[in-house]
Amino acid sequence: MEVKELGHLVLYVRDIGRSVAFYRDVLGWRQVLPKPDGAGSGPLPMPFAMFNAPSGRTHHELLLIEVGPDAAGLPAGRRVGLYHFGLKIGTSDDELRAALRTLQEAGATVLGATDHVVTHSLYIADPDGNEIELYVDVPGMDWDDAELLASPPRALQL
C-alpha cells in the first residue's frame, strides 16, 4: 500500500454556525454542503458542514460535525491526538502578514509565529481550540536536505 496524499480532515465542533463562520468567512474555505438553500443536508444524524479549498482539488478537504455545547474540551498540555494541521496560504511573508491582519480584524486567536527555516508559519486556534498552522514555503529551500529540515525553529516577526 502507498498513501498518495492527505485527502480530508474531520473535526468535531461544538457549534456548527460559529465554526462555519470561522472556516468559511475568516479562512476562506469554500462551503460545499449544505448549500445556501439547505440542499444536501445529508444523511448525518447531526448538523455538519463540508468544505474544500478554492482550488476545488477534490470533493471535500474539511468536514465539520457538530457535537453540541456539552462536548468535552481539548485537554491542556501534552496529550495523545492531533496537535495541529497545516494550511499553505501562499508563497510570501506578505501573504502571512495579510492573513494576520484578517485574523486580528476577525478577533481570531493568534497563538504565535515561527520561522522553521523551510517554512514561515502563523499558528492560530479555531473557535473550539483546534490549532491550525497557516504557512508559506520559503523559496529556494532544498526539501531533500535533512539537516535543513531539522533546523531548530525561531520566532518569526511579521
Side-chain angles (χ1 to χ4, degrees):
M1 175 176 70
E2 178 184 357
V3 174
K4 305 297 184 200
E5 63 187 23
L6 180 62
H8 62 269
L9 177 68
V10 179
L11 296 175
Y12 290 128
V13 299
R14 285 192 176 93
D15 181 315
I16 196 69
R18 179 181 71 174
S19 293
V20 164
F22 178 79
Y23 283 95
R24 183 191 61 210
D25 303 338
V26 177
L27 295 186
W29 285 84
R30 186 173 71 88
Q31 188 170 347
V32 177
L33 291 175
K35 303 225 179 267
D37 64 3
S41 294
L44 291 178
M46 68 277 296
F48 76 96
M50 185 182 294
F51 302 85
N52 66 13
S55 68
R57 172 184 72 83
T58 186
H59 45 84
H60 79 284
E61 293 164 306
L62 177 65
L63 176 66
L64 305 176
I65 300 173
E66 183 178 87
V67 292
D70 297 331
L74 296 171
R78 293 176 57 118
R79 63 186 184 278
V80 172
L82 179 70
Y83 169 29
H84 71 261
F85 60 94
L87 301 172
K88 184 175 178 178
I89 63 164
T91 58
S92 73
D93 284 352
D94 286 340
E95 288 165 297
L96 274 181
R97 281 187 278 278
L100 179 58
R101 282 190 300 276
T102 298
L103 293 162
Q104 290 169 331
E105 290 168 4
T109 302
V110 178
L111 303 171
T114 303
D115 176 350
H116 293 285
V117 180
V118 295
T119 62
H120 288 170
S121 304
L122 184 61
Y123 290 88
I124 65 171
D126 79 359
D128 289 292
N130 295 301
E131 191 167 325
I132 304 166
E133 176 185 5
L134 304 174
Y135 73 93
V136 298
D137 291 331
V138 174
M141 292 292 136
D142 179 1
W143 289 96
D144 292 325
D145 184 339
E147 199 171 305
L148 187 66
L149 291 173
S151 298
R154 316 182 279 248
L156 177 67
Q157 297 299 316
L158 291 173

